[in-house]
Amino acid sequence: MEYIVAKKVILGMSGGVDSSVSALLLKQQGYEVVGLFMKNWDEKDEGGVCTATQDYEDVMRVAGQLEIPFYTVNFEKEYWDRVFSYFLNEYEHGRTPNPDVMCNQEIKFNAFLDYALKLEADYIAMGHYAGVLKKNGRYYLRRGKDANKDQSYFLSRITEEALSKTIFPIADLEKSEVRELAEKYHLYTATKKDSTGVCFIGERNFDKFLDQFLKTNPGLILTVDGKKIGEHTGLIHYTIGQRKGIGIGGVGSGEPWFVAGKDLKKNILYVAQGEQHPSLYTTELLGEDVLWITEKPQFPFRGTAKFRYRQKDISVTVYEHQDEGVRVVYDEPVRSITPGQFAVFYDGEICLGSAIITKGKPLNMKYEYLHDVVK
């Protein structure tokens, strides 16, 4: 008689419905499932509640329902050193970072993977809306079936080696189907609200959070044509394309104002009025710190890109640039390109990798100074 040994999978369980259903599906598929709760941040929210404690309790309840073992691992030091320090450094240099992308690169598919392999896991699993495509012996990251929930953008800096050891159980499910499964099997997290915001900030006041760690220096707000129009509370509180919270409503034509640029040396915030103002648009960008997930493409190449999560695909031509960077030329001008964010590249359903945006080329070269970020 031949015995089949179940593959051991260590699943990252966050206390949400996606990872809960992932655990359910893996168990149904015959895997030996072990839940692992990552503690990356230890701080109470504005209401004095530690959300990590609530999430841990939800993991414990779901693991009990599914009769799978679960453990906790503390990655607070790794998170501070590899993610939070990067987050603060980017803001200090006038850029707008995306810590969720870096968390996947450095924690979930690096520190977590290393830890799981030491526990003799065959695979790790995550409740992300993305998938792995194996083709000709290579591993590729593909978009999730649910276009509204696809998280390939946030996974654009993980490696092929990590992909070869990863399972995404809900890759081919819509969010509604995940909820239905959770309800069908009476999982404790079936109706739990999805988390929002940056993981360590949650739904608290973002500016107050930043002020705990970075020094703010108030200064002038100027129009893109150099006219004084107000005062800002500190450049770290503003990002390119921002509309709300500038504090200059009702001035000029009555159209809304938007952040168009920053001058760190002079501590000036530049704003433009109207959604179609040419200072808000660029025709191409430069990116650095490029990571190709599976293989480096042949340049130049045609594909699509996203410059922020949930943005529609933009048709682009990507060229190799100096110092192993990239130059990305769009078919049509794009609004509010933000230095520090990620340009994520696609070939159809395959996510190729990403680069950190450094600067954009303005639609009107009169505003070139607005898009030159010095790091």
Side-chain angles (χ1 to χ4, degrees):
M1 182 176 180
E2 184 179 352
Y3 291 91
I4 298 175
V5 179
K7 295 287 187 179
K8 183 177 181 179
V9 178
I10 294 187
L11 168 69
M13 296 188 71
S14 64
V17 66
D18 296 331
S19 60
S20 299
V21 170
S22 294
L24 169 70
L25 294 174
L26 288 169
K27 186 173 181 182
Q28 288 179 341
Q29 292 164 13
Y31 289 102
E32 177 192 347
V33 185
V34 177
L36 195 63
F37 178 76
M38 288 175 278
K39 189 176 181 183
N40 299 331
W41 191 258
D42 185 17
E43 187 174 322
K44 295 180 180 180
D45 63 19
E46 291 178 332
V49 176
C50 180
T51 56
T53 300
Q54 294 177 339
D55 292 337
Y56 170 81
E57 291 174 351
D58 291 340
V59 170
M60 180 175 62
R61 292 186 179 99
V62 172
Q65 286 181 293
L66 297 176
E67 298 181 337
I68 62 171
F70 80 98
Y71 304 95
T72 300
V73 60
N74 191 313
F75 287 138
E76 288 178 30
K77 183 181 186 305
E78 290 86 348
Y79 194 92
W80 184 281
D81 292 343
R82 303 183 196 179
V83 180
F84 192 62
S85 294
Y86 142 83
F87 170 84
L88 295 179
N89 183 64
E90 288 289 274
Y91 268 105
E92 281 187 309
H93 289 92
R95 311 211 302 189
T96 303
N98 193 315
D100 291 331
V101 174
M102 199 59 67
C103 179
N104 281 318
Q105 179 182 359
E106 296 293 343
I107 306 300
K108 294 181 181 178
F109 295 88
N110 190 325
F112 182 96
L113 177 60
D114 290 344
Y115 187 87
L117 293 177
K118 289 177 182 177
L119 297 179
E120 299 183 339
D122 296 295
Y123 299 101
I124 63 169
M126 296 288 175
H128 288 90
Y129 290 86
V132 180
L133 173 66
K134 185 177 180 181
K135 183 179 179 181
N136 298 326
R138 304 298 300 271
Y139 295 83
Y140 299 86
L141 176 67
R142 66 174 177 85
R143 305 180 200 246
K145 177 185 175 182
D146 190 331
N148 291 321
K149 284 291 184 178
D150 170 50
Q151 292 174 294
S152 59
Y153 180 94
F154 296 115
L155 299 169
S156 62
R157 298 187 72 77
I158 66 177
T159 65
E160 181 182 12
E161 181 181 2
L163 278 181
S164 71
K165 294 287 186 180
T166 301
I167 301 172
F168 295 112
I170 61 173
D172 296 313
L173 295 178
E174 302 278 348
K175 181 72 178 194
S176 59
E177 294 176 300
V178 170
R179 289 283 185 192
E180 288 170 5
L181 280 170
E183 291 172 2
K184 177 181 178 180
Y185 289 92
H186 308 291
L187 297 183
Y188 185 81
T189 55
T191 59
K192 185 175 180 179
K193 180 183 175 183
D194 289 342
S195 59
T196 59
V198 177
C199 51
F200 50 81
I201 299 173
E203 299 181 20
R204 80 181 80 191
N205 184 289
F206 187 75
D207 288 344
K208 287 182 180 179
F209 180 83
L210 278 181
D211 289 343
Q212 295 178 47
F213 300 94
L214 297 175
K215 181 181 178 181
T216 56
N217 184 19
L220 296 178
I221 299 178
L222 303 183
T223 68
V224 291
D225 298 316
K227 297 179 182 179
K228 180 182 176 181
I229 196 172
E231 295 184 355
H232 65 77
T233 59
L235 292 180
I236 63 171
H237 296 153
Y238 306 87
T239 189
I240 304 301
Q242 178 178 329
R243 174 180 174 177
K244 296 181 179 180
I246 305 175
I248 51 174
V251 181
S253 66
E255 293 181 278
W257 289 87
F258 298 88
V259 173
K262 302 178 184 181
D263 186 328
L264 269 65
K265 293 182 179 179
K266 296 181 181 179
N267 194 30
I268 295 173
L269 182 73
Y270 288 99
V271 295
Q273 191 164 33
E275 292 190 18
Q276 303 303 317
H277 196 286
S279 67
L280 298 173
Y281 287 81
T282 58
T283 57
E284 59 183 76
L285 63 81
L286 296 180
E288 65 179 9
D289 194 13
V290 185
L291 186 148
W292 302 112
I293 296 173
T294 302
E295 52 197 350
K296 184 178 180 179
Q298 291 187 337
F299 294 98
F301 73 85
R302 289 281 297 169
T304 61
K306 291 179 183 289
F307 306 133
R308 57 184 176 272
Y309 182 50
R310 294 192 184 282
Q311 184 181 45
K312 291 183 178 180
D313 279 39
I314 297 165
S315 295
V316 297
T317 304
V318 182
Y319 301 86
E320 198 163 20
H321 193 62
Q322 60 189 18
D323 299 325
E324 298 187 354
V326 289
R327 173 174 164 249
V328 184
V329 180
Y330 345 129
D331 287 8
E332 300 288 341
V334 176
R335 188 173 175 275
S336 302
I337 295 301
T338 307
Q341 289 288 294
F342 290 88
V344 179
F345 308 109
Y346 294 87
D347 179 7
E349 292 301 298
I350 302 301
C351 179
L352 302 174
S354 62
I356 300 177
I357 299 170
T358 58
K359 63 182 296 186
K361 181 179 180 181
L363 177 63
N364 185 332
M365 292 305 292
K366 171 184 177 181
Y367 302 109
E368 183 174 13
Y369 67 96
L370 296 174
H371 300 273
D372 190 7
V373 174
V374 179
K375 184 179 179 183

